[in-house]
Amino acid sequence: MVLGAEDWKIGFIGGGNMAGAIIGGVTSCGKISPHRIFVYDRHSEKLDSLKQKYGVNSAESDVDVAKICDIIFLAVKPQNFTDLLRSLKHTVTEKKVFVSIAAGISSEFIAKSLSCRCPVVRAMPNTPLLLGKGATAVSKTENVPRDVFVFIRSLFECCGTVSVIDESQMDAIVSVGGSSPAYVYLFVKSVIDSAVGQGIDSGTAFDIICQTICGSVEMLKKSGRTPEELIKMVSTKGGTTAAAVDVFKKEHFEDIIDDAMKACTARTKELGL
Ligand SMILES: NC(=O)c1ccc[n+]([C@@H]2O[C@H](COP(=O)([O-])OP(=O)(O)OC[C@H]3O[C@@H](n4cnc5c(N)ncnc54)[C@H](OP(=O)(O)O)[C@@H]3O)[C@@H](O)[C@H]2O)c1
């Protein structure tokens, strides 16, 4: 790895949704100039689109990215990792730092497959990253140099918030951050469906529930009160909100969330390597 962060070249193998979101975030916040980014995807149309949109360089192959770049994002699906790492094995040295955004792929597996104790940062972002509003959890192996980790962390900070966790929590964190946007969308869809069933038009219901979620999140962050306290504040005994919350409780809403999140973690482990 060359000397200063301002010289490091950043590579992406896989140019899909997540790579596009991260590239969009880091280039639009000015953290890194597009000419220092090299991307390879096996679909040339995805590569062309990233070049056109962000002005990044395209690489000839996955091996090419590994040769050129100091920090290499592995942005392919978990099922593509074995083939990809096999292909990179003869190119990499311990000077290359890998950033894996795949669910369930351990740093141990990456090092073993590459036959190299390359420094590895694991990251679990989520799709609101596309709008600079993502929540990313990151962990690192011990041999990631401090300045490189600070730099990688700052790339994700361009795209939202970053939480540093231990790698042992990386599978469970998928259920908290990676997959949780879908829980919110399901909740919103359910509210809209019920509203429409009660004669309210879907656009009005959409506007109200989206604004309510934004406002409630601000309350959670700024009021200094716990979720339980905020529920109590809006649930007068015998009142309308209490009637709704009672149904959630009777139907074991919290147990459903717990079961769903545990299923997500279990699936991450099943898919993991
Ligand atoms: N989407 C999310 O919400 C989310 C959230 C957190 C983390 N992640 C993780 O982010 C990673 C990427 O997800 P994504 O949604 O961006 O996937 P995606 O849109 O499918 O992008 C991956 C791209 O990489 C290509 N590819 C596969 N192997 C390659 C190789 N050896 N060389 C070059 N290109 C290759 C794929 O081609 P093919 O389609 O032909 O395979 C595809 O175009 C996954 O590991 C996922 O677990 C995703």
Side-chain angles (χ1 to χ4, degrees):
M1 180 162 276
V2 287
L3 283 178
E6 62 285 352
D7 297 315
W8 293 336
K9 294 193 177 73
I10 316 300
F12 286 82
I13 302 177
N17 298 317
M18 270 294 150
I22 298 168
I23 292 168
V26 299
T27 51
S28 67
C29 81
K31 183 76 202 165
I32 133 168
S33 141
H35 77 260
R36 287 168 53 204
I37 299 178
F38 295 78
V39 191
Y40 175 68
D41 192 286
R42 56 189 176 196
H43 301 276
S44 58
E45 70 279 4
K46 288 191 187 172
L47 215 43
D48 291 343
S49 153
L50 289 172
K51 272 168 74 177
Q52 216 168 35
K53 220 162 158 186
Y54 303 115
V56 295
N57 305 289
S58 60
E60 294 292 318
S61 65
D62 46 11
V63 169
D64 202 27
V65 172
K67 277 186 186 156
I68 297 169
C69 297
D70 306 287
I71 296 172
I72 299 143
F73 280 73
L74 303 172
V76 303
K77 298 267 190 227
Q79 54 270 33
N80 297 126
F81 262 71
T82 303
D83 287 347
L84 172 59
L85 296 173
R86 192 179 299 131
S87 147
L88 299 181
K89 188 174 170 173
H90 301 293
T91 311
V92 302
T93 68
E94 286 177 17
K95 292 204 165 93
K96 306 283 176 178
V97 178
F98 287 91
V99 182
S100 165
I101 61 169
I105 306 291
S106 69
S107 59
E108 190 59 40
F109 177 80
I110 294 172
K112 225 164 110 187
S113 307
L114 292 172
S115 301
C116 169
R117 307 261 6 138
C118 295
V120 176
V121 172
R122 284 183 62 187
M124 182 42 56
N126 60 18
T127 45
L129 189 117
L130 280 160
L131 308 173
K133 303 262 183 197
T136 303
V138 292
S139 69
K140 68 176 193 70
T141 54
E142 274 176 11
N143 57 352
V144 178
R146 201 185 122 67
D147 55 343
V148 180
F149 184 63
V150 168
F151 177 73
I152 291 169
R153 190 180 158 161
S154 74
L155 295 182
F156 285 108
E157 278 165 350
C158 284
C159 315
T161 63
V162 178
S163 306
V164 180
I165 62 170
D166 190 82
E167 187 172 359
S168 60
Q169 300 172 328
M170 221 52 204
D171 287 346
I173 214 73
V174 179
S175 72
V176 184
S179 298
S180 57
Y183 319 160
V184 177
Y185 306 142
L186 182 60
F187 179 76
V188 168
K189 179 190 178 301
S190 307
V191 169
I192 294 171
D193 287 350
S194 175
V196 169
Q198 296 181 72
I200 295 163
D201 79 86
S202 61
T204 303
F206 177 87
D207 290 346
I208 291 176
I209 191 59
C210 287
Q211 179 60 18
T212 300
I213 289 174
C214 290
S216 306
V217 168
E218 289 296 298
M219 290 290 284
L220 282 164
K221 285 161 95 172
K222 294 186 178 156
S223 69
R225 295 178 193 274
T226 64
E228 290 83 355
E229 287 169 343
L230 288 169
I231 293 169
K232 258 194 197 144
M233 271 173 61
V234 290
S235 308
T236 314
K237 205 162 183 261
T240 54
T241 308
V245 172
D246 283 349
V247 174
F248 280 128
K249 291 216 164 122
K250 196 171 97 218
E251 299 294 334
H252 305 289
F253 181 74
E254 286 154 279
D255 291 342
I256 293 171
I257 299 287
D258 186 40
D259 287 349
M261 289 177 65
K262 284 177 177 158
C264 177
T265 303
R267 186 67 185 138
T268 302
K269 288 187 194 300
E270 268 170 28
L271 291 173
L273 293 165

